[in-house]
Amino acid sequence: MHQQRFFRPGAAALILAAAATAAFAAPPDMTNRDVLLETSAAKTTATFAVPDSLKPSHTSYALYARTNADDPPLILLNGIPLASAPVPREPGEWLLPLPTADFHRGAENTIALLTRKGAPLAAEQLIVFELLDGAEEAHFGRLFSMPTAEKATPTLHSSQTKYDVLHYDLALDIETASRQINASVVTVTLKSLVEGLDQIAFDFQSDGVLLINSVAAVPAVSGITYSVDDTNDWLIVDLPAAAELDSGEEITLAITYSGTPSSSAGAFGLNSYNRTTQPNGKAIVYSFSEPYSARSWWPCKDVPSDKATIDLHITVPSANMVVTNGTQTGTTTPRTGRTTYHFTHGYPVATYLVAFCATEYAYASDNYLSRDGLTQMEVGHYVYETSTDELAAVSDTIDVMGFYADHFGEYPFLDEKYVTMTWGGSFGMEHQTCTSINNRNLASGGKSRRNVHELAHQWFGDYVTPDDFIHLWLNEGFATFCEALFVEHDEGFASYKSYIQGWISSGISDTTPLVYSNADSFSTSVVYRKGGMVLHMLRGVMGDDAFFEGIRAYLAAHAYGNAESADLQAAMEAAHGASLNDFFQDWVYGTGKPSYQWSWSLDENTLNVSITQTQSADVFELPVRLVATLEGGGTHEFVVQNTQRTQTFDLDATGLSITNMAFDPDYWIYKGSVTSGAIEAPKATLLSVRASAQPGEAVVTWESGGGTTEGFEISASSTMTGTTIVASSSTLGVDARSHTLTGLAPNDIVYVKVRAVSSQGLPSAWSDVYAVQTGIASDDRVLIVDGYDRWEASISPENSHSFAAIHADALYAAGIAFDSCANETLGSTVSLPPYDAVILVLGEESTIDRTFTSSEETLVKAYLDAGGQFFVTGAEIGWDIGRSTGGNPSLAFYNGYLKASYEDDDSKDYTVAGTSGGIFDGLAFDYGTGASPYYPDWPDVITAAEGGTICLEYNAAAGAGVQYEGTFGSGTATGRVVTFGFPFETIGDESARHEVMARIVTFFELSPALPVTLDGWMVY
């Protein structure tokens, strides 16, 4: 709908205000968020209060700051500089997670902004707002940056399916002050999977700042050549014929490269925001690669399905410390002032999980004892030297690790370590054996939801990695679920339930499946919350014993490898002892959610329960928990298996004094509405009413709304508003979609509508009203097409209308036979030929899918090319398809076939008159007044185009209607068209409507209906 419709008094001032700040985007949506601070006046400092009850382990906050400076500000919380890199949006807009543990609870907190040189910096707006869940914490930078065009999954080179990487040796020489990579070497050992492998492509995003210096085999092989494809980000190595690999043969390639990785790649150093120091000013360099950015700082096969072991030798200034994957095996001094740290990681790792941080750290560790009591492993935290209080979190982290080991199996990398390393990012990342985490995240202890989330990834994402990021929910859904699971362990089921409820209130998508092509966009409402919710529901379906047994089996079956959603399903089914296919199809691969209508009653010792699923989608087969409140206190839970649309249960309530019942109070089902009592069926859609070849008969077709529908009723009346039921739900069952009306009066008009009846006997609202002239043999017949279903005007589209029937009434007065149909049927069950004329009823349309769909345009063009006759009526047709802006592809159709040219959006006039020589010459009438069914807001002002003639004008001599007779397009047959800029049905005076239609009938040279012979009798 175009913007004018929403104008209100004072709108001009609002528009000017918006224009003044057009450089800025809107802050993040604050819906359902706790907001501690919101300012709109320029300030260098602002204060806010925090309640004593705030729990830093469960709740976190972030800052939105809007300044007039393009450089990132230095932000202080209670006088302490924040070290995480601010996330930019539009120029001057910054977001930053706040270390909630450093809030002064029950007291005043201060936010201050400085320039990088220490001068006060005024903020035009400051908002301190709650992060809704662990997903927003875990990927803060990704989720709160300005939305950009979706990044397509990088193209896989054809050779990359033909080899398997076995081992990487990454020797990296970096400058922490500049992020520069000095001459470094990646040595790759790989195995051919095919005969005659002669080309090997690695992913390598040079961005013009990383250069390949050489590629050589080890041991040396002469004749190897290479090239860099900057378009596809590949390093392509060609092997000479003598070095081609047969299946199973291995080769080791040493790739020497150097340069400074591009900050725009968002991977190495994350220096896009010029934030490379700790709060004490010491430099830090770090990497981040998920999902496809390992290629931006080292050549590799950057796909999650090819995991390999890795050795890392990272050289840095000697004042720095390096933390990376695996076990440190020693250090060397290659030259004065430089130290090389040696690490080996003997477990297969995906390239996006390889990472390092280099800076000056404080470190503390303790030992984790394996579940069998035989092995001790180092668990530690590397933190900034200004945050040594975070080191106390180690004991909590070990507790969380033990909890996961008890439920999912032993920590997967027990032979090496688990550490966290503080980096400059504003989020966390589950790098294998060495999670990256932002400064001050551990100040509240190791049970904070981010630490709990990232540690869970060591099992879900690192130990078992998705084959492809379309299955990302196997990482993020599990880690999100584990947050709730640990809360249950630490605080009890009531807190677990509250945590689940938080996902629901934050928003879970029911329109996107968990497995989908854009999962690597990391949607919080899909892969995180929906993923966690589906696992919670699966726990409810299976029960704890089978559920955790299935997860352990899934992890063990794909240990240190890759998996897909089908692999999880197989493991869970084996543990469950029954198929879970319906569950996975509904919740992992499908969309939607159930809604319920239910009732209960007591009959002595029997609890009678009726459950109906009311959504239009198919039935969701799930156990439903019904919790009874008992007299004197206490509860009793009943579990019923709901597998049908409508289902009744007789439950044993012997000895229970039930005072009330609750439907799924613990959120074991992600559901829509839950209501009690009987419910009506969803409305049915009338599709067509057409006269049969047999006199006195007409065929009615419709579409079910699904849901609780169990049957249908048809009304066939002699008046537009009448209700005469001629077919009941006892005749028209749930699967009925058409019905033939018989015994209709010949040569008469019949008004038809349909409605659904629910399984509980309640009918829906009636459909739109269509009409047909039956029992006649006609020289000519007209098709009335109701297209008034894509609208957003003043009448709700849920309401039924009779606009097609109003056109039918006028045709009947002119003695012309007609059928009626919905525009959805065109080109499928209804064709425009052989009708002698077509009327398209569009009322007042203005929607994103436009007045005419492209397929409708094609049908109408073909019909007119062949000499058809077409009357189209409605406001805003010109607005939708006739404007010349934006390269509108429908403009040629509007000009060349409707013979109109769009002039203005609003005629501001509701009186029209025929033009001299036109088909309405001498005729004047009002529309949108008196008995009009609605007031048309935006009648089009049009003029004639491409041979058309203005036949109606508003009082201001502006065009209101066009007529045309001649050929169309490439056709040779004569056709005719009449186009109105306003809706015909809003002509309030019946005699005027009839006269207008009679003039069109005459212009179209349509013949009145002839009498029909029935059993030898002439019927008139």
Side-chain angles (χ1 to χ4, degrees), residues 661-683:
M661 293 291 300
F663 188 98
D664 186 38
D666 295 329
Y667 307 102
W668 287 105
I669 301 173
Y670 177 53
K671 54 192 179 293
S673 61
V674 177
T675 53
S676 58
I679 191 168
E680 67 182 31
K683 186 176 169 182

Side-chain angles (χ1 to χ4, degrees), residues 305-375:
S305 59
D306 195 349
K307 301 169 74 170
T309 55
I310 189 168
D311 284 292
L312 299 109
H313 315 276
I314 301 179
T315 302
V316 293
S318 295
N320 294 136
M321 183 182 297
V322 170
V323 187
T324 186
N325 312 86
T327 302
Q328 183 174 339
T329 59
T331 60
T332 56
T333 304
R335 55 192 185 275
T336 302
R338 305 285 290 178
T339 299
T340 301
Y341 286 79
H342 302 268
F343 287 83
T344 184
H345 190 35
Y347 296 97
V349 61
T351 51
Y352 80 91
L353 296 170
V354 175
F356 75 92
C357 290
T359 190
E360 297 181 42
Y361 279 125
Y363 179 63
S365 67
D366 204 342
N367 288 326
Y368 163 78
L369 183 63
S370 63
R371 297 299 91 181
D372 61 10
L374 299 177
T375 306

Side-chain angles (χ1 to χ4, degrees), residues 85-246:
V87 175
R89 284 158 66 88
E90 295 294 346
E93 290 186 309
W94 310 95
L95 286 107
L96 190 74
L98 297 175
T100 307
D102 292 343
F103 283 176
H104 296 158
R105 295 194 291 282
E108 185 176 89
N109 293 264
T110 302
I111 291 287
L113 276 72
L114 303 175
T115 67
R116 286 294 163 185
K117 295 182 178 180
L121 176 65
E124 302 297 322
Q125 186 176 22
L126 291 171
I127 303 174
V128 175
F129 62 96
E130 180 188 7
L131 299 178
L132 294 176
D133 55 20
E136 293 192 343
E137 277 192 270
H139 290 283
F140 181 87
R142 192 193 312 270
L143 299 175
F144 285 95
S145 60
M146 241 350 242
T148 57
E150 288 185 349
K151 180 180 178 181
T153 301
T155 303
L156 196 69
H157 188 275
S158 59
S159 73
Q160 291 181 320
T161 62
K162 301 175 182 178
Y163 71 89
D164 175 30
V165 176
L166 304 178
H167 185 75
Y168 293 104
D169 190 304
L170 176 56
L172 194 66
D173 190 321
I174 62 172
E175 300 292 344
T176 52
S178 65
R179 300 186 309 115
Q180 178 179 333
I181 296 178
N182 299 323
S184 298
V185 182
V186 181
T187 305
V188 188
T189 301
L190 58 91
K191 178 177 66 176
S192 175
L193 302 176
V194 297
E195 300 294 329
L197 180 66
D198 60 359
Q199 190 174 73
I200 300 165
F202 299 103
D203 297 299
F204 179 64
Q205 186 176 345
S206 72
D207 274 352
V209 292
L210 279 184
L211 300 176
I212 299 295
N213 304 118
S214 66
V215 177
V218 181
V221 173
S222 61
I224 289 179
T225 61
Y226 69 90
S227 60
V228 175
D229 180 343
D230 285 324
T231 300
N232 294 294
D233 294 330
W234 291 324
L235 165 62
I236 301 172
V237 179
D238 291 299
L239 303 178
E244 289 181 3
L245 301 178
D246 289 333

Side-chain angles (χ1 to χ4, degrees), residues 453-537:
H453 179 105
E454 304 302 349
L455 180 51
H457 276 308
Q458 297 298 312
W459 282 262
F460 304 102
D462 296 9
Y463 182 37
V464 177
T465 307
D467 271 332
D468 188 282
F469 282 106
I470 67 171
H471 299 278
L472 180 63
W473 82 278
L474 294 174
N475 289 9
E476 302 300 350
F478 264 107
T480 303
F481 173 70
C482 286
E483 296 171 28
L485 199 63
F486 185 77
V487 165
E488 179 186 17
H489 163 75
D490 202 44
E491 302 177 17
F493 184 79
S495 293
Y496 173 81
K497 171 184 171 181
S498 178
Y499 213 93
I500 301 300
Q501 187 180 12
W503 298 339
I504 297 170
S505 61
S506 297
I508 296 174
S509 172
D510 60 359
T511 60
T512 303
L514 281 179
V515 176
Y516 74 115
S517 59
N518 290 325
D520 52 3
S521 67
F522 290 80
S523 167
T524 52
S525 67
V526 184
V527 296
Y528 293 87
R529 296 178 200 139
K530 184 175 182 179
M533 189 72 197
V534 167
L535 290 167
H536 164 68
M537 293 169 58

Side-chain angles (χ1 to χ4, degrees), residues 305-448:
S305 59
D306 195 349
K307 301 169 74 170
T309 55
I310 189 168
D311 284 292
L312 299 109
H313 315 276
I314 301 179
T315 302
V316 293
S318 295
N320 294 136
M321 183 182 297
V322 170
V323 187
T324 186
N325 312 86
T327 302
Q328 183 174 339
T329 59
T331 60
T332 56
T333 304
R335 55 192 185 275
T336 302
R338 305 285 290 178
T339 299
T340 301
Y341 286 79
H342 302 268
F343 287 83
T344 184
H345 190 35
Y347 296 97
V349 61
T351 51
Y352 80 91
L353 296 170
V354 175
F356 75 92
C357 290
T359 190
E360 297 181 42
Y361 279 125
Y363 179 63
S365 67
D366 204 342
N367 288 326
Y368 163 78
L369 183 63
S370 63
R371 297 299 91 181
D372 61 10
L374 299 177
T375 306
Q376 290 191 345
M377 183 196 70
E378 178 186 5
V379 174
H381 296 305
Y382 291 86
V383 303
Y384 289 160
E385 294 172 328
T386 55
S387 298
T388 55
D389 58 324
E390 293 189 83
L391 297 175
V394 171
S395 60
D396 282 347
T397 300
I398 290 174
D399 287 345
V400 178
M401 179 176 286
F403 170 74
Y404 288 155
D406 288 336
H407 284 75
F408 307 133
E410 188 54 82
Y411 173 69
F413 311 106
L414 191 63
D415 291 342
E416 296 186 355
K417 71 182 181 195
Y418 179 71
V419 299
T420 69
M421 48 189 184
T422 302
W423 64 350
S426 55
F427 49 95
M429 180 60 204
E430 65 273 14
H431 299 122
Q432 195 158 300
T433 70
C434 56
T435 287
S436 298
I437 208 159
N438 57 308
N439 184 46
R440 307 300 297 155
N441 182 76
L442 297 170
S444 61
K447 296 179 181 179
S448 65

